[in-house]
Amino acid sequence: MLDDIGAPSSAAIAKALDVTVRTVERWRYIDQAPRPVELALYWLTRWGQDAAACEAVNFRALQQTELAILRGEVARLRGELARVLAVADFGCANDAAATVSPARPLEQVAPARPVLQVVRV
């Protein structure tokens, strides 16, 4: 992997990973680094970059498909709503707004039934 990213020096790797140069040299001597270090270096290689690019392309295609499906659903629901609204608007028997005209605000509308007054004797 190090050859693929330009064979950086031990000092450069140590600085990038925030470890000592001696630690990096030990990893090079045994030809093995801890898994998190190997993963960090992998994403810098052409293979890691290709994997990231492939994931981005696949995610974009998935999002475009989902967008097309949702747009179709919106169009279907708009058509269904238009059909329902075109049938008729008969109102509702208990619709409070049916007694309110635009000229009279709601506060000025008389109640639907008389209000009982308490008379003290």
Side-chain angles (χ1 to χ4, degrees), residues 18-69:
D18 197 26
V19 295
T20 65
V21 175
R22 183 177 161 100
T23 302
V24 174
E25 288 173 352
R26 187 177 67 241
W27 293 339
R28 283 186 158 177
Y29 179 75
I30 64 174
D31 198 29
Q32 187 175 357
R35 180 83 171 144
V37 172
E38 289 178 352
L39 289 173
L41 293 174
Y42 168 77
W43 291 111
L44 298 175
T45 66
R46 65 182 141 183
W47 304 291
Q49 295 293 312
D50 285 347
C54 182
E55 181 67 24
V57 168
N58 289 338
F59 184 72
R60 179 176 180 244
L62 176 69
Q63 293 298 312
Q64 285 180 325
T65 302
E66 187 174 350
L67 177 63
I69 291 169

